[in-house]
Amino acid sequence: MEKVFINPITNKQWQLEVDGLTIRTCLHGGRVKEIQCDSAFQVRSKAASAMMEQLRKGFVYQKPEAATGEAICHRFVGKDNNGFMPLATSSQRDDFFLTRVSGNFDDEILYHFDGNGEIIETVSLGAKRMTYEQILCPNDTLLMNNSYLLEQFSLHTHEIKPFANRRNSMKTMLDGSGNLALWYTGEEIVVFDFVENREIWKECVKCRKSEDLAFAYYCFGMLSPQQSKVAYQVTKGAYVIVDLNTARKVVIHNDGWHPFFSPHDQCFSVGGKFYQTETGEEIESPLPFTVRQGLSLSDTCIVRIRGSLMAVQQERGNSPIDLWDTDSRKLIASICDPFVVKQTNFAFTDKGLVLHTDYGTMSIYQCTDEKEGLCSG
């Protein structure tokens, strides 16, 4: 393995080469330094530390021609002091947005990146903010969950204004899929089409108080990848799936965690079990990988979907992210990002998979194979 990092300010290069148990580094054609390691684990650890040291100094790794599963970019942006590492992406575009809290909540900074990891702009959102999650909408706005208050941010004017709920009740839903967005007003779940500029479904619900100390209310909602279904949970042990075309409901009784839809909306998984979305009948997993059962809320099971492609992380927050093509049922790549300590957030763009890590880095991995047409959104 050989990686070349460039400092865009000084134009200096720093190279890292891994040869078996030997790590070699060189700064701008100077003396080559060698580090001898005792194991493959030590090689990964010391190489990651060496790269992180240079990233903190302003060096950036970029390889736009990277193969599928390889890194296009590594860039240090700074640790996100709220721990949520929010991203906003779209499978229709390569640029994306990352938000982090700076200092002791002195400022919250929004970064706009292009598909190669270049910073298009940064925006100061102000002090005393904590964005838990954010989605990128087709009308060039971001919907942001700022400490349970929903806000709308204009990408053109940078104006922030209250949206949907104006009172912090610790009950919020926020999700996006294609042209659709889902949110909770405090009284109603709403699904809105930003391209057609119309509300396509809403329902009055009351989120029940949780008996679990890890969260205050049962208040969860998500859209399916093909935008034909919505799933929500507002009471213990029951997930409701709604067909957005017919308004037909199916109730799934399961008190597990980590729900997700299959890529073609045909099944819904929660607690490691699978159900048909049309009938609610429990079925065998149709996916080419195993989903662990009996996971608690704090366990790791993150699934992101674009087209037939699924990015799946299980076991731990720093375990590999597996890229699966569910049509061919093949494992495309297994991503082991070197800059994850305990957890990372990740999301698909049009051609890549973006990671926002707890080490304070942003990484982009290639998810397009022009020869085979894999990973196309």
Side-chain angles (χ1 to χ4, degrees):
M1 179 191 77
E2 183 175 334
K3 289 182 180 287
V4 178
F5 294 72
I6 297 177
N7 189 315
I9 297 176
T10 65
N11 210 32
K12 288 185 176 180
Q13 292 188 359
W14 180 81
Q15 291 178 275
L16 178 138
E17 178 188 354
V18 174
D19 182 12
L21 297 180
T22 302
I23 300 172
R24 299 184 185 91
T25 63
C26 179
L27 177 61
H28 208 60
R31 183 171 63 89
V32 176
K33 298 180 181 179
E34 284 197 359
I35 304 172
Q36 298 295 331
C37 302
D38 299 326
S39 65
F41 173 81
Q42 194 177 64
V43 169
R44 290 193 297 270
S45 177
K46 288 186 176 293
S49 295
M51 289 188 288
M52 191 65 202
E53 181 181 353
Q54 300 306 317
L55 289 175
R56 286 179 175 274
K57 293 178 180 178
F59 283 81
V60 178
Y61 175 78
Q62 287 180 308
K63 187 182 179 183
E65 72 281 6
T68 296
E70 291 184 350
I72 296 173
C73 178
H74 295 303
R75 181 188 288 271
F76 181 73
V77 292
K79 291 198 70 172
D80 180 11
N81 289 337
N82 75 6
F84 290 94
M85 301 167 288
L87 291 166
T89 67
S90 169
S91 60
Q92 279 80 47
R93 50 197 286 181
D94 273 332
D95 63 326
F96 61 93
F97 299 84
L98 175 156
T99 302
R100 75 175 186 91
V101 172
S102 174
N104 188 24
F105 296 93
D106 301 321
D107 194 8
E108 188 171 49
I109 305 169
L110 176 70
Y111 295 80
H112 184 188
F113 292 99
D114 70 14
N116 291 323
E118 293 288 349
I119 298 176
I120 298 174
E121 67 173 340
T122 60
V123 180
S124 170
L125 300 178
K128 309 298 182 184
R129 290 178 53 89
M130 185 184 291
T131 297
Y132 298 149
E133 55 190 337
Q134 56 192 18
I135 61 172
L136 175 58
C137 300
N139 63 340
D140 280 343
T141 64
L142 295 177
L143 293 184
M144 313 178 87
N145 176 0
N146 173 26
S147 300
Y148 296 108
L149 289 173
L150 295 184
E151 298 174 335
Q152 187 175 54
F153 173 84
S154 169
L155 302 184
H156 301 299
T157 66
H158 298 172
E159 178 188 9
I160 302 175
K161 58 184 181 181
F163 186 86
N165 64 343
R166 299 175 183 272
R167 184 171 63 89
N168 187 346
S169 60
M170 298 187 72
K171 293 175 282 189
T172 305
M173 299 181 194
L174 185 62
D175 194 30
S177 179
N179 299 333
L180 305 185
L182 174 150
W183 61 79
Y184 182 56
T185 66
E187 297 176 350
E188 294 178 323
I189 305 174
V190 176
V191 175
F192 193 87
D193 189 319
F194 276 101
V195 172
E196 297 184 2
N197 196 34
R198 67 182 182 93
E199 191 177 90
I200 65 170
W201 176 82
K202 67 178 180 181
E203 182 164 329
C204 289
V205 297
K206 183 177 181 180
C207 297
R208 302 295 179 182
K209 194 167 180 60
S210 167
E211 300 172 0
D212 193 322
L213 297 179
F215 60 100
Y217 291 90
Y218 292 97
C219 191
F220 162 80
M222 70 184 301
L223 291 160
S224 65
Q226 301 299 320
Q227 301 100 56
S228 69
K229 306 283 192 303
V230 61
Y232 67 86
Q233 182 193 30
V234 293
T235 189
K236 183 178 180 180
Y239 290 82
V240 181
I241 298 177
V242 181
D243 188 309
L244 292 176
N245 297 315
T246 65
R248 184 172 179 271
K249 291 183 186 177
V250 171
V251 179
I252 292 173
H253 297 284
N254 187 313
D255 58 3
W257 303 103
H258 309 294
F260 63 89
F261 283 95
S262 64
H264 302 296
D265 296 3
Q266 295 173 342
C267 74
F268 178 77
S269 175
V270 62
K273 296 183 178 181
F274 290 81
Y275 304 86
Q276 286 186 346
T277 53
E278 293 298 326
T279 65
E281 179 187 357
E282 185 175 347
I283 58 174
E284 294 294 320
S285 170
L287 302 176
F289 55 86
T290 301
V291 179
R292 294 166 60 206
Q293 296 192 17
L295 296 177
S296 68
L297 178 62
S298 60
D299 289 325
T300 297
C301 182
I302 304 174
V303 177
R304 303 286 187 256
I305 298 171
R306 192 194 66 205
S308 65
L309 191 71
M310 300 184 76
V312 183
Q313 185 187 50
Q314 299 189 81
E315 303 295 340
R316 304 175 307 280
N318 59 358
S319 58
I321 300 170
D322 290 334
L323 298 177
W324 288 89
D325 186 292
T326 54
D327 285 349
S328 66
R329 302 185 66 83
K330 291 181 179 179
L331 178 65
I332 306 302
S334 189
I335 294 173
C336 299
D337 189 86
F339 309 114
V340 181
V341 182
K342 291 184 178 179
Q343 60 180 337
T344 183
N345 186 20
F346 53 93
F348 281 112
T349 61
D350 180 36
K351 295 184 178 65
L353 184 73
V354 178
L355 275 66
H356 185 184
T357 79
D358 56 359
Y359 223 147
T361 64
M362 178 279 297
S363 296
I364 308 172
Y365 287 86
Q366 185 70 264
C367 287
T368 299
D369 188 311
E370 294 180 355
K371 292 181 181 179
E372 300 182 19
L374 297 174
C375 314
S376 57

